[in-house]
Amino acid sequence: MSQPWQPWQGKDESASGPGRDGPAARPWAGAHTPLARPWPAYPVPQAQPGASAMLASHADRERAVDVLRAGYGEGRLEKAEFDKRVERAYGARTVGELALLVSDLPLGPVPQPAPFTAVPRTFLPAPRPRANGKAVGAAVCGLLCVPTFGFTGIPAVILGHAARAEIDRTGEGGDGLALTGLVLGWLSIAAWSILMTLLIAVGLASG
């Protein structure tokens, strides 16, 4: 005994059912099938390739308004046009509509080069003066007084006085080196003077 035809079976598979030779099976008259229709308050978005048809979120609208504010702050938009675009941005439904509103603006404020302000010379470090060559020579000769037993003392004194004179005239550095050469040179000369005086005194006393 064949089972009676049911609405969910699509076509009647029984020998005498309408699915074999008769018209196509229809849904049960008591079942209400709702018709697909758009919401009355919003337009139906058209299917477009990419993400332009995607519904915009509150964050998307705020980002678009930020771009518009940056363009208005840089003078790219007039006040009336800015207000109109902001109003359209808050009323946009898709990402594509927001992209059209900011398509002719940079995505954010354009970085401006920081103004270059020259540092006053008062706050700049003073240039280090070049050391005087004769002052360096005086210091070297003064240090050589010990290994040379004071034979470089006289050159140290001469170079030291000449270096200090040039430093006072030209403003070069190395006054400390010249003073070192002078001190060591005069000490070596004094030592030799005392030694020669003792030798002469000993010679006179023994003679």
Side-chain angles (χ1 to χ4, degrees):
M1 182 177 181
S2 60
Q3 299 293 333
W5 174 82
Q6 299 293 336
W8 51 267
Q9 292 177 342
K11 289 185 179 181
D12 189 3
E13 298 297 335
S14 63
S16 61
R20 288 297 183 96
D21 300 322
R26 296 180 180 178
W28 179 44
H32 176 67
T33 304
L35 298 177
R37 60 184 63 185
W39 292 96
Y42 308 110
V44 178
Q46 301 294 329
Q48 299 179 5
S52 59
M54 182 172 58
L55 293 178
S57 64
H58 294 302
D60 295 331
R61 297 185 185 93
E62 291 298 334
R63 281 193 291 267
V65 172
D66 288 340
V67 174
L68 294 174
R69 288 196 185 102
Y72 175 68
E74 295 173 354
R76 301 177 187 273
L77 297 175
E78 298 293 336
K79 185 65 169 61
E81 184 179 3
F82 168 72
D83 294 337
K84 183 178 180 180
R85 290 197 186 193
V86 170
E87 182 180 358
R88 290 179 59 188
Y90 280 120
R93 287 288 298 155
T94 63
V95 176
E97 296 176 19
L98 295 175
L100 291 176
L101 293 175
V102 297
S103 60
D104 55 348
L105 296 174
L107 299 180
V110 177
Q112 301 293 333
F116 175 76
T117 304
V119 180
R121 296 186 60 87
T122 307
F123 301 101
L124 292 176
R128 193 171 183 178
R130 184 176 62 90
N132 185 271
K134 292 181 180 179
V136 176
V140 172
C141 291
L143 294 175
L144 291 177
C145 288
V146 177
T148 59
F149 300 102
F151 287 104
T152 58
I154 295 177
V157 172
I158 295 174
L159 291 175
H161 284 292
R164 297 198 72 182
E166 290 186 3
I167 289 172
D168 292 339
R169 186 175 65 255
T170 61
E172 293 178 315
D175 186 71
L177 296 175
L179 187 60
T180 301
L182 284 172
V183 171
L184 294 177
W186 282 116
L187 286 177
S188 65
I189 293 175
W192 273 108
S193 300
I194 294 173
L195 180 60
M196 293 298 295
T197 302
L198 292 176
L199 288 177
I200 294 174
V202 170
L204 293 175
S206 61

